[in-house]
Amino acid sequence: MITRETIDKVFETARVEEVIGDFVQLKRAGSNFKGLSPFSDERSPSFMVSPVKQIWKDFSSGKGGSVVTFLMEHEHFTYPEAIRYLAKKYNIEIEETEVSQEDRIEANEKESLYLVSEFAKTYFHDTLLNTEEGKAIGLSYFKERGFTNETIAKFGLGYSPETWDAFTKEALSKGYQLEFLEKVGLTITREDGKHFDRFKGRVMFPIQSLSGRNLGFGGRILTNDKKAAKYLNSPESDIYHKSKVLYGIFHAKQAIAKQNNCYLVEGYTDVIQLHQAGIENVVASSGTALTSDQIRLINRLTKNITVLFDGDAAGLRASIRGIDLILEEGMNVKVCSFPDGDDPDSFARKNSYDDLVQYLENNAKDFIQFKASLLMNEANNDPIKKADLIRDMVVSISKIPDRIKREIYIQETARIMDISEQVLLNTLAQLVQKDITEAGKKQKQEQKAFEVVKNEPQVSHERVNIIYELERKILEMLLLYGSQEADFDDYILKANEEGEMVEEKETNTYKVFQRIYLSLQEDEVELAHPTFKEIYSDLIQYYNQNEVFNVEHYLMQLSPEHSQVVTDILMSEERELLHNWETKHIYVKTKTQNVGQYVSETIISLREYLINKLIQDLMGSFQAEPETDLEELKTMINDYNKLKVSLTNKIGRIRSIYL
């Protein structure tokens, strides 16, 4: 187990904006950062990171927390894995107590799959470099491709021996279980119980996640066996989903964010060769058809994709279908093809870095120009084919969510194809309407459900929302200002010289958490929401034990459920940044301008609400039990009404002081 001292050091050292910046493209927004949610499909940024508070909040999915919870949510790390990842990133030596055999057995299955996959990566790489067979076959192949030792090491390239079960035997001898070797697809067991290596006799390309965890492998056969597939990928498993993975994303993520562009290629060697040539912002779909999940993975880092195609026409026509998917995600897409007979791998080998960069810059075309030139060659002046081509282009344009972009592309298509812009707009309108109609059918059931909810009585919902919001505000004040000192005005009834009772103002200084605690104790008020009640008790106890409120330290001791609620509250103020009010010349007064007023108003509002509820309950009790003493009931209601008027006046006085 990792020691508490190591965990504390990790939390003290790690910077949430730096860690999340490795996965999400963040832009400065005042004192915070914002970006597109890595947990949902969105086009407007609602993901906020606070360097001051060292927390993050995703307003689209509701997730939030510390730097560790981000890694647990995004990379599906366990808590120890997240700590180890951060320790490695910040060069912190991990101190730990000895792990017992029982603890190893209790490790969850997914972690076991990761461990097996990581062992395989190390084994294949070691076999490539340190065995006669590996050097003679695997290493020779990579050297023929022009890969340097540094590149081979960087991408963890390897070799699986020609022997039927060389890897499986080695893994079993090291204590790895056959069950997990089978589940990640490294070992195949026959009906007779014998097992063999899936990737026997292949050079190996490890496939890593955005964070660098090994998920699976691609293996290329080097013999001329026509019965065997040239490339073989790991099967789907709990850790490897090929439709959600891009080869090279771990090594490319920083360059993609920095260059604000991602080159998309087809194969492993295309990625490696371009990377070695100096073009590092490149990933591959690994020979599979491009998917929406893969595009969204890029979308977290940049809005711009340049698709690099091989020079042959058949490959171009087949691959261009993925462009519509990219457009649907609201991304900007360019296309670049290479001279006939070349692919990104071969072209990168033939050219220097400067020539390569110049070629990519000069030959990357907007998708509409590329598609027009490609399909026009196929149409070959045939009017029927040309009409189909134009419709094909308008279909692509209809996928673009942004209406302004759509209109600009319609204008460009009209110019290129020498056709009336109005005809294209009419065709576009028909396509868009068709999409809307189909989407409407899918949403019909949801709409019916919405109508049921909409027609329900609203009184009970309003009550629940009011008490919920007021209690949430109390937690917000404790979290944001609990240790701050503020002046609070109290109005005390005292007799004057004439013997009349008048109110006198007294100003006292309290820490915010003390004032809240005393006020709620005075009225014997308990929070109604069970989670809020638990967090409130934790916070009061924390403030009584600690001079200063440390968000990271506090979040460490919370359960995941409470951590989620606390983060949501802490980041609620940052939501205003998403609206960019100041750019619209609207300036919102912050709570920090007068904490005392904010606290007093909230507490009095809660008391006022509770009194209203008491009055309603009393009136309801008379209707339920007519034998109740009416005079006594009237007296109680009148007393509560007087108290309510007094509270209303207090709010008025508090507001007037600070206006």
Side-chain angles (χ1 to χ4, degrees):
M1 292 177 64
I2 303 172
T3 63
R4 169 53 57 186
E5 290 75 15
T6 299
I7 294 172
D8 289 343
K9 191 171 183 180
V10 165
F11 271 94
E12 289 168 7
T13 308
R15 301 294 304 170
V16 67
E17 68 274 20
E18 293 173 353
V19 176
I20 294 179
D22 289 341
F23 303 90
V24 180
Q25 186 181 21
L26 298 174
K27 292 184 179 180
R28 174 70 69 174
S31 61
N32 301 303
F33 292 91
K34 66 180 179 180
L36 290 172
S37 166
F39 302 107
S40 64
D41 178 19
E42 66 174 9
R43 296 184 177 92
S44 298
S46 66
F47 183 85
M48 303 296 297
V49 178
S50 171
V52 175
K53 299 170 185 172
Q54 281 299 293
I55 57 174
W56 59 276
K57 178 66 187 175
D58 179 21
F59 291 106
S60 65
S61 68
K63 299 178 187 290
S66 66
V67 63
V68 169
T69 56
F70 176 83
L71 293 171
M72 292 173 72
E73 288 281 3
H74 190 271
E75 293 301 304
H76 305 291
F77 284 174
T78 60
Y79 186 88
E81 287 173 350
I83 295 295
R84 291 180 190 280
Y85 174 88
L86 293 170
K88 183 178 180 181
K89 178 178 176 65
Y90 288 97
N91 298 315
I92 297 170
E93 185 178 349
I94 295 178
E95 297 177 1
E96 53 186 319
T97 57
E98 189 173 346
V99 180
S100 67
Q101 185 62 28
E102 290 76 14
D103 290 334
R104 292 184 188 277
I105 293 172
E106 289 177 4
N108 64 55
E109 182 173 304
K110 184 174 281 190
E111 178 58 22
S112 297
L113 299 182
Y114 280 124
L115 290 172
V116 164
S117 189
E118 192 60 39
F119 168 75
K121 177 186 172 186
T122 303
Y123 170 83
F124 294 137
H125 186 63
D126 184 67
T127 301
L128 177 80
L129 300 179
N130 299 314
T131 67
E132 291 302 319
E133 182 184 347
K135 287 187 281 189
I137 302 175
L139 192 59
S140 294
Y141 169 77
F142 288 132
K143 290 293 184 179
E144 286 173 10
R145 306 290 309 211
F147 297 159
T148 65
N149 291 335
E150 291 77 12
T151 297
I152 291 169
K154 186 171 189 175
F155 285 88
L157 305 180
Y159 175 74
S160 179
E162 183 67 31
T163 311
W164 278 102
D165 60 353
F167 164 74
T168 302
K169 274 185 178 178
E170 181 67 15
L172 292 174
S173 73
K174 296 293 184 184
Y176 293 97
Q177 295 180 34
L178 181 62
E179 173 193 359
F180 300 124
L181 295 172
E182 291 173 334
K183 284 185 175 179
V184 294
L186 288 162
T187 300
I188 298 174
T189 301
R190 299 190 312 195
E191 290 182 3
D192 60 8
K194 292 183 179 180
H195 41 255
F196 60 92
D197 300 342
R198 178 181 296 272
F199 294 104
K200 178 181 77 75
R202 294 175 181 265
V203 287
M204 303 297 289
F205 299 86
I207 301 169
Q208 295 171 285
S209 70
L210 199 65
S211 67
R213 302 208 84 183
N214 208 71
L215 307 174
F217 296 90
R220 187 192 192 282
I221 198 167
L222 300 180
T223 64
N224 293 321
D225 186 354
K226 294 183 179 179
K227 294 181 180 179
K230 183 178 178 181
Y231 277 97
L232 184 65
N233 274 11
S234 293
E236 294 280 310
S237 71
D238 284 346
I239 62 172
Y240 178 62
H241 306 281
K242 62 183 178 182
S243 65
K244 298 181 179 181
V245 177
L246 287 165
Y247 181 73
I249 190 71
F250 172 66
H251 297 294
K253 60 187 178 184
Q254 291 182 343
I256 291 171
K258 186 176 180 181
Q259 301 291 334
N260 197 23
N261 183 45
C262 177
Y263 290 111
L264 181 63
V265 296
E266 187 176 349
Y268 304 122
T269 58
D270 294 329
V271 170
I272 298 171
Q273 202 67 252
L274 283 170
H275 206 281
Q276 183 171 282
I279 308 295
E280 297 185 352
N281 53 324
V282 56
V283 297
S285 57
S286 304
T288 61
L290 191 64
T291 68
S292 297
D293 285 326
Q294 291 171 331
I295 297 166
R296 291 184 195 120
L297 195 58
I298 298 171
N299 198 8
R300 297 174 192 171
L301 301 168
T302 181
K303 298 290 289 183
N304 305 302
I305 292 182
T306 302
V307 184
L308 304 184
F309 288 138
D310 298 352
D312 63 289
L316 288 173
R317 192 68 181 88
S319 302
I320 204 169
R321 285 190 285 269
I323 288 178
D324 286 357
L325 277 177
I326 300 173
L327 294 172
E328 280 182 353
E329 295 301 320
M331 300 186 71
N332 307 313
V333 56
K334 289 187 175 182
V335 183
C336 180
S337 63
F338 293 95
D340 201 9
D342 267 326
D343 56 24
D345 179 357
S346 62
F347 193 81
R349 271 187 281 170
K350 294 177 185 176
N351 292 275
S352 67
Y353 170 76
D354 290 337
D355 290 341
L356 187 56
V357 169
Q358 187 175 4
Y359 182 87
L360 293 174
E361 288 179 352
N362 293 341
N363 291 273
K365 298 179 181 177
D366 188 86
F367 87 93
I368 207 73
Q369 296 173 330
F370 181 84
K371 198 166 188 177
S373 61
L374 175 67
L375 299 182
M376 277 298 284
N377 290 333
E378 293 184 4
N380 197 25
N381 296 323
D382 183 324
I384 303 296
K385 288 184 178 180
K386 185 177 178 181
D388 290 339
L389 156 64
I390 294 171
R391 173 171 283 276
D392 195 344
M393 292 171 69
V394 176
V395 167
S396 290
I397 295 170
S398 72
K399 304 296 182 185
I400 301 171
D402 189 292
R403 293 180 64 182
I404 296 175
K405 284 185 181 178
R406 283 208 302 257
E407 187 157 345
I408 290 171
Y409 279 123
I410 285 292
Q411 293 171 358
E412 184 67 9
T413 302
R415 184 188 64 79
I416 293 171
M417 307 306 295
D418 191 24
I419 189 171
S420 163
E421 191 176 315
Q422 190 58 50
V423 170
L424 296 182
L425 285 170
N426 291 341
T427 306
L428 176 64
Q430 291 172 5
L431 291 169
V432 171
Q433 185 58 49
K434 182 181 177 183
D435 288 342
I436 291 172
T437 302
E438 289 177 357
K441 289 177 182 177
K442 291 180 182 179
Q443 293 177 0
K444 201 169 184 180
Q445 197 63 36
E446 286 87 344
Q447 183 64 30
K448 286 181 180 178
F450 171 75
E451 290 298 329
V452 171
V453 173
K454 189 175 75 172
N455 293 326
E456 286 181 352
Q458 297 298 307
V459 178
S460 61
H461 295 294
E462 184 183 354
R463 284 188 180 180
V464 172
N465 287 339
I466 290 173
I467 194 71
Y468 176 90
E469 290 300 329
L470 287 170
E471 291 185 353
R472 192 176 186 279
K473 282 184 181 295
I474 286 172
L475 294 186
E476 180 188 74
M477 293 183 298
L478 285 170
L479 289 164
L480 295 176
Y481 319 114
S483 58
Q484 290 184 25
E485 288 191 340
D487 291 336
F488 295 91
D489 293 328
D490 291 313
Y491 293 86
I492 312 298
L493 282 173
K494 289 186 177 181
N496 60 16
E497 293 178 356
E498 288 77 24
E500 298 172 335
M501 299 301 291
V502 294
E503 284 187 334
E504 284 189 11
K505 184 176 79 170
E506 285 186 1
T507 301
N508 297 293
T509 302
Y510 295 94
K511 285 193 173 181
V512 169
F513 88 89
Q514 292 171 335
R515 178 68 177 196
I516 292 173
Y517 178 74
L518 291 171
S519 298
L520 296 187
Q521 283 290 103
E522 180 183 331
D523 292 328
E524 297 181 352
V525 173
E526 284 192 345
L527 303 194
H529 192 287
T531 303
F532 288 175
K533 182 179 178 180
E534 291 172 5
I535 294 173
Y536 171 79
S537 297
D538 287 343
L539 279 167
I540 296 300
Q541 184 177 356
Y542 184 93
Y543 277 117
N544 282 320
Q545 295 174 348
N546 299 274
E547 291 263 339
V548 179
F549 181 71
N550 183 296
V551 175
E552 294 171 81
H553 184 263
Y554 179 68
L555 286 174
M556 283 170 59
Q557 65 188 37
L558 295 182
S559 66
E561 180 193 1
H562 288 184
S563 178
Q564 188 86 356
V565 174
V566 168
T567 305
D568 185 53
I569 293 170
L570 282 169
M571 293 296 280
S572 60
E573 290 185 312
E574 320 304 342
R575 192 193 297 266
E576 296 297 323
L577 292 170
L578 300 176
H579 300 294
N580 295 317
W581 293 121
E582 290 188 9
T583 63
K584 302 171 185 175
H585 305 291
I586 299 172
Y587 300 93
V588 182
K589 184 178 179 181
T590 63
K591 301 180 187 82
T592 53
Q593 288 177 290
N594 209 302
V595 174
Q597 178 193 7
Y598 180 53
V599 171
S600 297
E601 282 189 9
T602 304
I603 292 173
I604 293 172
S605 295
L606 177 61
R607 293 178 65 191
E608 192 176 30
Y609 170 79
L610 292 174
I611 289 167
N612 274 329
K613 189 173 183 301
L614 278 170
I615 293 171
Q616 290 171 3
D617 290 345
L618 287 170
M619 294 173 70
S621 68
F622 176 72
Q623 292 174 347
E625 300 177 24
E627 66 275 7
T628 304
D629 188 325
L630 185 57
E631 289 304 316
E632 184 180 348
L633 185 65
K634 283 182 178 179
T635 301
M636 291 174 68
I637 291 175
N638 284 335
D639 288 342
Y640 279 125
N641 276 324
K642 287 177 185 177
L643 181 55
K644 188 172 77 169
V645 171
S646 173
L647 292 173
T648 304
N649 290 337
K650 279 187 180 179
I651 290 180
R653 282 195 294 268
I654 291 167
R655 288 176 178 163
S656 66
I657 291 170
Y658 299 108
L659 287 177

